[in-house]
Amino acid sequence: QVQLVESGGGSVQSGGSLRLSCAVSGVTFSDHALGWFRQAPGKEREGVACIIGSGGGTAYGDSVKGRFTISRDNAKNTVYLQMNSLKPEDTAMYYCAVYSSYGSCSLSPNSRYNYWGQGTHVTVSS
């Protein structure tokens, strides 16, 4: 059974930082790229960042480039999202997901992400 458990969400003021974690079990973690996505009320789910299996390649959504950093620890089966300089528009539910490929990833939530976590909520106040 594949499980993804996100943590680290919460409330923060504009300009602050949060670090999200996603612990993955039930798959060979290092064989898969991973992604972080977010969904705000009334909006479509959007890709935030993704990272390939080795950790040697990443991609970021335009709205978070230069502020967010995705990383992974294959020994701990965990993927992280460091979020700095947070803005009110970053307020959303954040989800991690397991991609079907090792050497590539996608920021499209409608692509080959086979497993999803339940999400962790981030609120940024002005």
Side-chain angles (χ1 to χ4, degrees):
Q1 182 181 359
V2 181
Q3 288 190 316
L4 293 82
V5 180
E6 300 98 335
S7 60
S11 296
V12 64
Q13 289 192 327
S14 182
S17 298
L18 284 173
R19 189 195 196 201
L20 305 184
S21 299
C22 174
V24 181
S25 61
V27 294
T28 304
F29 183 80
S30 58
D31 284 352
H32 295 272
L34 299 157
W36 281 100
F37 298 83
R38 68 185 182 186
Q39 188 166 18
K43 295 188 176 181
E44 293 187 352
R45 189 168 295 191
E46 67 168 326
V48 175
C50 68
I51 186 168
I52 66 172
S54 67
T58 58
Y60 294 91
D62 289 341
S63 61
V64 307
K65 281 180 183 176
R67 300 188 298 122
F68 291 10
T69 303
I70 188 171
S71 62
R72 64 189 294 162
D73 186 336
N74 285 351
K76 295 183 178 180
N77 288 5
T78 301
V79 60
Y80 304 98
L81 185 68
Q82 177 67 44
M83 306 187 296
N84 298 329
S85 302
L86 282 161
K87 305 175 181 180
E89 51 264 43
D90 294 319
T91 295
M93 186 71 80
Y94 284 73
Y95 302 89
C96 63
V98 175
Y99 197 58
S100 61
S101 174
Y102 166 82
S104 65
C105 65
S106 170
L107 293 177
S108 170
N110 299 318
S111 59
R112 293 147 47 194
Y113 285 95
N114 296 328
Y115 304 103
W116 292 81
Q118 294 298 308
T120 185
H121 199 266
V122 171
T123 300
V124 184
S125 57
S126 57

